[in-house]
Every structure is written in structure tokens, then in C-alpha cells.
Amino acid sequence: QVQLVESGGGLVQAGGSLRLSCAASGSIFSVNAMGWYRQLPGKERESVAHITRRLSTNYADSVKGRFTISRDNARNTVYLQMNSLKPEDTAVYYCNANVIDSSIIVRDYWGQGTQVIVSS
């Protein structure tokens, strides 16, 4: 079994910063791409940023220049540094990882979500 555990959400004023972390643990052989998504109430989950094992990144247009995704392959951990936060960034943020487990089965896993609230 594989688990993703997120941390780092919270309440921040507009213009502030937060750093999210997500650690994958369990019966892992290797972790491929990792990413962050977010979801507002009543809306579909949307992609925020992704990073491959080789550290290639891509971002949603709405966060380019403000958010930075990074990862530590040795720790199977992905980070999202969020700067210049805006009220419209308020959402539940979810971590996603494409994992090869110890049985060499590939599947996607999700974290439990962490709330980010940006006050104006």
C-alpha cells in the first residue's frame, strides 16, 4: 500500500507565501511524475503544477511566475512553494503521484488534501 501525506496549508494574507509538502511512503519501487491540483467548492479539480522524475516542470497559466514545484527523489517528496498569493488561490490542494509499487504495478495516488485560505 502507498500513502501520500500532505502538510503546509493554512491561512495567509494576500501577497503572502506558503509551502506545501507531500511525502509518498509505503511499498514503493519508484515514483514517476508528481503534481499538485486544487479544488474550489462546487468546481472541478484543476491542475496546478507537475514535475517529472527528471525534474521537468509545467504550470497552470494562473500560477506561472508565482508558484514553484520541486521534489526530492530520495525522499519521494514533492513541494509547492506559493508566493504572491491571491484570494483566488483559496482552495483545497491535493498532491498526486504516479507510483510503481513493489509489485511493479503502476497507478496514481492522491493525498488527503490540505486547505489553503488567502484573505484579502
Side-chain angles (χ1 to χ4, degrees):
Q1 188 67 312
V2 174
Q3 301 84 34
L4 299 185
V5 178
E6 301 159 359
S7 60
L11 173 64
V12 64
Q13 288 189 331
S17 299
L18 283 174
R19 188 189 194 214
L20 306 183
S21 300
C22 172
S25 63
S27 303
I28 295 172
F29 176 78
S30 180
V31 180
N32 296 324
M34 304 183 81
W36 290 94
Y37 291 73
R38 64 187 182 187
Q39 187 168 21
L40 282 72
K43 294 195 174 183
E44 292 188 358
R45 195 171 294 187
E46 64 178 16
S47 173
V48 176
H50 286 84
I51 185 168
T52 68
R53 187 169 182 82
R54 294 187 178 183
L55 309 184
S56 175
T57 60
N58 63 73
Y59 297 90
D61 287 342
S62 59
V63 306
K64 281 180 181 176
R66 300 188 298 121
F67 290 10
T68 302
I69 190 169
S70 60
R71 67 186 285 174
D72 182 338
N73 286 335
R75 290 185 168 90
N76 291 326
T77 299
V78 63
Y79 306 95
L80 186 67
Q81 178 66 43
M82 304 185 293
N83 298 330
S84 302
L85 281 161
K86 304 175 181 179
E88 52 263 43
D89 294 318
T90 296
V92 178
Y93 284 71
Y94 295 91
C95 169
N96 173 272
N98 184 261
V99 176
I100 305 173
D101 66 21
S102 56
S103 300
I104 315 301
I105 294 173
V106 183
R107 59 166 288 188
D108 278 348
Y109 290 88
W110 291 90
Q112 79 282 4
T114 185
Q115 178 74 57
V116 171
I117 299 173
V118 184
S119 63
S120 56

